[in-house]
């Protein structure tokens, strides 16, 4: 019995891997059975949250409103300035004949988070959009705050998004200000901390520097916020540095995400142009 | 009815772990209720039944997770086999025995899972976070095992989980 179990398990492990193109019929079926149930539990939790907030102290609520109103005013002013800068950037880009790679040039599809990984080893989210809505494996996923991860597998009605905090995920990153330092962001299974490795020892990296995606990997577009540098330490070799990065996205509280459906990595675009020529 | 409930237990465990428990995690660590139910089953029904039940529950979890299929199946089957192997030498009616069994089983299962995940290259970036997560999970599982085992034990000898032939 034990030998049979071991052999069967190893056979299954041999036949399956995360790199496979699509998930099997059984996995698809199980996920689609769970999806409406998880959506239902999520709705219940939301409704309960609504009831709880009504029961909250009025004073606390009015304080929250005041804080939000103040924040809203500040954001409106910031938005005005940014709109001006964007218009200027567009004008300058057209003068230089530059191809825009900012986020507004991508097609975004919003999705609701319906569940999270049920174990401690993997870090992923399950969203309520799947192959029916055009989601495909490998699509980058973001939130208004920054980079979330990448679609790992897709079923008809849902998709699994591997978070950048997952132990298997790595993202090419640069420092937003200096644009000099290239490194790799790794997940360590911790929602509150990422690690940036392979930073050259001469890098001008310092505490509180913002880190964004470099666009060098074919997986993620360039310029998406990842996090802020918290600690810098030398790697054992002495030639490289590594840094603790605090992610800008609160992965534990994510309720909605945006999937970049129209992203084509630079190589693919180049390849297509080559084949056209 | 017994078989339906034996299926519904891991099913509900996965549903709750992926929704409700993610908001009640201890420092980001979730319990493994599927393992808790597998350990209970092996403790009461022995090595043979436990191994099969552990394998099927683990396989179900693997199919839900959609990564390497067989990792959870093997780790849970082997953990259940070990628990079942020693089950006739312990006082099953003692809640302390169930708690210690769940605590040790969580360590064994995590260790097996870890080596299998390394073997299949399903996990990179190994660090101390893993050890901390295993310790927290062991405590979480053990605490949850107290009310759950009281119900499970009674149900296995007098209630719905009692094998049909013994009624």
């Amino acid at each position: 019995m034990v030998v049979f179990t071991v052999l069967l398990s190893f056979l299954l492990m041999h036949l399956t891997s995360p790199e496979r193109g699509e998930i099997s019929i059984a996995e698809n079926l199980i996920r689609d059975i769970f999806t409406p149930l998880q959506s239902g539990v999520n709705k219940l939790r939301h409704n309960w949250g609504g009831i709880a907030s009504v029961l909250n102290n009025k004073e606390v609520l009015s304080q929250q409103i005041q804080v939000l109103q103040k924040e809203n005013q500040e954001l409106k002013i910031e938005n005005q300035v940014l709109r001006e800068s964007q218009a200027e950037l567009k004008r300058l880009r057209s003068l230089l004949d530059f191809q825009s790679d900012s986020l507004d040039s991508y097609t975004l599809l919003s999705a609701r988070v319906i569940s999270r990984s049920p174990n401690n080893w993997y870090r992923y989210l399950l969203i309520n959009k799947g192959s029916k809505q055009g989601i495909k494996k490998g699509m980058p996923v973001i939130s208004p705050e920054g980079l979330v991860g990448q679609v790992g597998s897709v079923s008809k009605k849902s998709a699994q998004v591997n978070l950048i905090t997952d132990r298997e995920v790595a993202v090419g990153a640069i420092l937003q200000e200096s644009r000099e330092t290239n490194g790799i962001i790794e997940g360590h299974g911790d929602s509150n901390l990422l690690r940036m490795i392979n930073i050259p020892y001469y890098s001008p990296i310092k505490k509180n520097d913002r880190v964004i995606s470099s666009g060098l990997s074919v997986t993620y577009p360039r310029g998406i916020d990842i996090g802020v540098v918290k600690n810098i330490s030398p790697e054992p070799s002495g030639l490289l540095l590594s840094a603790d990065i605090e992610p800008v996205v609160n992965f534990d509280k994510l309720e909605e995400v945006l999937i970049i459906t129209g992203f084509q990595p630079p190589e693919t675009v180049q390849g297509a142009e080559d084949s056209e020529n | 009815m017994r078989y339906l409930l034996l299926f519904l237990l891991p099913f509900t465990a996965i549903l709750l772990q992926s929704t409700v428990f993610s908001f009640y995690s201890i420092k980001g660590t979730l319990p493994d209720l599927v393992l808790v139910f597998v350990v209970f089953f092996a403790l009461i029904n022995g090595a043979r039944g436990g191994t099969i039940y552990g394998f099927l529950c683990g396989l179900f979890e693997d199919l839900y997770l959609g990564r390497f299929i067989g990792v959870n199946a093997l780790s849970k089957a082997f953990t259940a086999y070990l628990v079942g192997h020693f089950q006739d030498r312990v006082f099953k009616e003692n809640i302390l025995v169930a708690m210690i069994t769940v605590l040790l089983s969580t360590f064994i299962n995590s260790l097996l899972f870890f080596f299998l995940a390394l073997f299949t290259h399903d996990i990179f970036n190994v660090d101390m976070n893993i050890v901390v997560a295993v310790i927290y999970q062991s405590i979480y599982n053990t605490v949850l095992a107290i009310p759950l085992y009281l119900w499970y034990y009674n149900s296995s000898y007098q209630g719905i989980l009692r094998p049909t032939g013994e009624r």
Side-chain angles (χ1 to χ4, degrees):
Chain A
M1 172 58 63
V2 176
V3 176
F4 175 73
T5 310
V6 172
L7 287 177
L8 187 59
S9 301
F10 275 108
L11 180 70
L12 285 167
M13 277 184 251
H14 179 70
L15 293 174
T16 55
S17 84
E19 280 78 37
R20 62 202 151 119
E22 283 179 13
I23 54 173
S24 65
I25 299 166
E27 289 165 281
N28 218 321
L29 184 74
I30 287 176
R31 212 175 278 175
D32 285 343
I33 290 170
F34 269 102
T35 303
L37 293 169
Q38 287 166 328
S39 294
V41 174
N42 238 358
K43 235 178 207 171
L44 270 176
R45 204 182 54 78
H46 269 278
N47 290 346
W48 173 247
I51 295 165
S53 72
V54 170
L55 297 173
N56 253 348
N57 195 337
K58 256 189 177 179
E59 210 173 298
V60 177
L61 285 175
S62 67
Q63 272 177 358
Q64 276 180 349
I65 289 168
Q66 274 182 357
V67 171
L68 288 173
Q69 275 175 340
K70 197 178 164 218
E71 194 181 306
N72 193 27
Q73 278 177 351
E74 286 169 0
L75 287 172
K76 270 182 184 168
I77 294 166
E78 195 181 323
N79 203 14
Q80 269 182 22
V81 176
L82 286 174
R83 239 182 289 166
E84 276 299 304
S85 306
Q86 198 181 24
E88 192 181 343
L89 187 70
K90 262 186 190 167
R91 274 201 312 275
L92 292 171
R93 268 202 172 131
S94 64
L95 280 173
L96 292 167
D97 204 19
F98 244 49
Q99 199 195 347
S100 167
D101 61 350
S102 64
L103 278 179
D104 55 13
S105 63
Y106 298 121
T107 320
L108 300 173
L109 182 71
S110 72
R112 184 168 275 280
V113 175
I114 52 170
S115 72
R116 289 168 158 77
S117 167
N119 76 10
N120 298 315
W121 301 90
Y122 309 133
R123 297 285 171 194
Y124 71 75
L125 303 171
L126 213 65
I127 54 172
N128 68 343
K129 300 266 163 76
S131 56
K132 250 185 171 179
Q133 286 81 20
I135 306 289
K136 285 182 189 144
K137 186 180 173 173
M139 286 180 170
V141 180
I142 59 168
S143 79
E145 287 79 34
L147 188 62
V148 171
Q150 184 193 22
V151 175
S153 59
V154 188
S155 70
K156 250 190 222 164
K157 299 172 197 164
S158 65
Q160 197 181 81
V161 177
N162 293 334
L163 300 175
I164 53 171
T165 52
D166 191 283
R167 290 175 192 280
E168 205 189 295
V169 174
V171 188
I174 50 165
L175 298 180
Q176 191 173 35
E177 293 241 335
S178 69
R179 301 262 164 184
E180 280 178 24
T181 305
N182 272 306
I184 297 166
I185 297 275
E186 284 182 343
H188 281 259
D190 185 342
S191 315
N192 304 314
L193 209 65
L194 295 162
R195 191 132 187 91
M196 188 167 172
I197 58 161
N198 286 3
I199 307 168
Y201 72 93
Y202 50 81
S203 161
I205 187 169
K206 57 185 188 301
K207 211 176 160 183
N208 293 330
D209 274 352
R210 287 191 88 81
V211 178
I212 57 170
S213 57
S214 66
L216 286 178
S217 66
V218 291
T219 320
Y220 305 98
R222 194 170 69 175
I224 302 175
D225 254 356
I226 296 176
V228 179
V229 177
K230 282 288 138 195
N231 276 316
I232 305 147
S233 52
E235 285 187 9
S237 65
L239 292 170
L240 298 165
L241 301 172
S242 60
D244 289 336
I245 309 291
E246 188 180 67
V248 284
V249 176
N250 187 342
F251 296 99
D252 293 334
K253 289 188 176 165
L254 264 183
E255 295 200 349
E256 272 184 345
V257 291
L258 300 161
I259 303 120
I260 302 177
T261 54
F263 174 65
Q264 274 192 310
E267 279 82 344
T268 320
V269 177
Q270 191 64 45
E273 280 170 5
D274 290 348
S275 62
E276 274 173 24
N277 295 334
Chain B
M1 199 66 188
R2 177 179 184 250
Y3 289 109
L4 180 68
L5 190 64
L6 284 175
F7 165 72
L8 281 177
L9 286 175
F11 185 92
T12 315
I14 292 175
L15 181 66
L16 291 178
Q17 275 167 219
S18 61
T19 52
V20 181
F21 275 104
S22 55
F23 294 93
Y24 299 101
S25 61
I26 301 175
K27 302 222 174 205
T29 308
L30 300 169
D32 189 346
L33 288 175
V34 180
L35 177 72
V36 172
F37 290 128
V38 166
V39 170
F40 289 171
F41 188 90
L43 194 59
I44 289 166
N45 297 283
R48 192 183 152 81
T51 309
I52 297 169
Y53 189 62
F55 178 79
L56 292 175
C57 286
L59 187 64
F60 184 66
E61 200 177 352
D62 281 330
L63 289 172
Y64 171 78
L65 289 166
R67 309 266 285 238
F68 267 104
I69 296 170
V71 179
N72 270 298
L74 184 56
S75 63
K76 286 195 165 70
F78 193 74
T79 309
Y81 171 77
L82 285 180
V83 173
H85 194 69
F86 293 104
Q87 61 103 23
D88 49 358
R89 291 172 224 180
V90 293
F91 294 107
K92 283 175 268 182
E93 58 276 15
N94 191 336
I95 186 77
L96 259 177
V97 170
M99 286 168 69
I100 293 166
T101 311
V102 168
L103 186 82
L104 295 176
S105 299
T106 310
F107 277 110
I108 294 165
N109 181 68
S110 302
L111 201 70
L112 276 169
F113 185 95
F114 173 72
F115 282 116
L116 285 171
L118 277 184
F119 168 75
T120 52
H121 302 291
D122 200 19
I123 280 185
F124 295 100
N125 311 334
V126 178
D127 54 28
M128 280 305 285
N129 282 351
I130 290 179
V131 181
V132 175
V134 170
I135 293 169
Y136 279 127
Q137 190 181 58
S138 306
I139 298 166
Y140 209 161
N141 281 354
T142 310
V143 172
L144 288 176
I146 301 168
L148 290 174
Y149 189 70
L150 290 174
W151 167 78
Y152 200 97
Y153 181 82
N154 281 327
S155 193
S156 298
Y157 287 100
Q158 290 155 19
I160 199 165
L161 285 174
R162 192 163 55 148
T164 324
E166 292 176 22
R167 284 182 197 183

